[in-house]
Amino acid sequence: MDRNDEVVIRRAAPSRLDVFLRRTDPPRPHDWASDGYHSYEEYLFWSRKVCGLACLQSLLHGWTDIRLPMRELLSLALDRGCYVVEPQGKVRGLIYRPFMAWVGAQFGFACRLVEHTPIQESARAVRPGQALIASVSPEIRDPGTREPRRGGHLVLVHEVRGDTVRFHNPSGYSHNADSASLPMHVFERFHAGRGILVSATP
């Protein structure tokens, strides 16, 4: 996840345009071919759209012996309708219900849709063998953001201890991507109240 530091994505309110803030030192090239992409351009196109698949990849690594490169996971997800590429190039997804059906059939995980539920409630189900793919704002990488929007990005909540939420953030900085921690009331500011509860076994 250290390559996330090379390009930082923020939403510039009120225009809501994507602003890419590049570091001044020369970036290290990412080996996109190791992720199975066919070109650097293809990697750039999808890299900011596959946060949900990055969460799934983490679960596969933690719960199974399955090791699939991101582009292969993406191909499977596209085939199952988890993402839809519109004629003008806009991507819709991750679409929850096709994703849940695919993950259950392909990998044997049990999935439950969570909607209109605060993190204080949905976090109760997170325990060993269960995790929550939670919809949050990408601004969660900067917890001090004032008046953040909610949703637009997915993170993997893998542990809740007391009032602390620990999560994997696919677009986090190198120091807080693999296992970020936030007080629950701070996490809730970014949380959209929806997500997918995933269990290792049905």
Side-chain angles (χ1 to χ4, degrees), residues 4-189:
N4 289 339
D5 292 358
E6 310 297 345
V7 180
V8 178
I9 306 174
R10 299 177 186 268
R11 289 283 178 176
S15 66
R16 303 182 70 84
L17 295 175
D18 282 332
V19 179
F20 304 96
L21 307 177
R22 295 189 179 275
R23 297 198 322 189
T24 55
D25 55 321
R28 289 172 297 155
H30 170 57
D31 183 10
W32 46 265
S34 66
D35 287 340
Y37 290 101
H38 301 106
S39 68
Y40 183 61
E41 290 71 24
E42 184 184 49
Y43 159 71
L44 283 180
F45 178 81
W46 284 106
S47 61
R48 301 182 186 101
K49 301 175 176 67
V50 292
C51 48
L53 293 184
C55 293
L56 172 61
Q57 197 173 54
S58 293
L59 293 177
L60 291 174
H61 287 189
W63 292 347
T64 76
D65 295 325
I66 298 171
R67 301 292 182 266
L68 296 175
M70 180 56 72
R71 187 60 179 86
E72 186 171 344
L73 274 178
L74 176 59
S75 293
L76 293 170
L78 286 167
D79 287 344
R80 295 298 297 265
C82 305
Y83 295 92
V84 175
V85 182
E86 297 179 348
Q88 66 272 30
K90 182 180 179 180
V91 176
R92 290 194 295 111
L94 184 80
I95 303 173
Y96 285 6
R97 285 178 174 81
F99 176 80
M100 294 165 60
W102 166 53
V103 166
Q106 184 94 27
F107 306 113
F109 295 162
C111 296
R112 177 165 63 86
L113 183 64
V114 176
E115 294 182 295
H116 313 296
T117 306
I119 190 63
Q120 290 85 348
E121 182 177 338
S122 56
R124 295 174 189 166
V126 177
R127 55 179 61 92
Q130 292 183 303
L132 176 68
I133 299 176
S135 176
V136 299
S137 165
E139 298 163 315
I140 200 169
R141 70 159 81 215
D142 294 309
T145 301
R146 294 185 179 183
E147 300 182 1
R149 62 195 180 95
R150 294 172 181 253
H153 178 50
L154 295 170
V155 299
L156 182 67
V157 177
H158 58 81
E159 184 179 19
V160 178
R161 289 189 179 182
D163 190 43
T164 301
V165 180
R166 299 193 61 173
F167 58 99
H168 168 68
N169 183 2
S171 70
Y173 298 117
S174 56
H175 69 276
N176 68 2
D178 287 339
S179 191
S181 297
L182 284 178
M184 197 171 293
H185 73 276
V186 176
F187 188 97
E188 176 63 20
R189 291 177 54 233

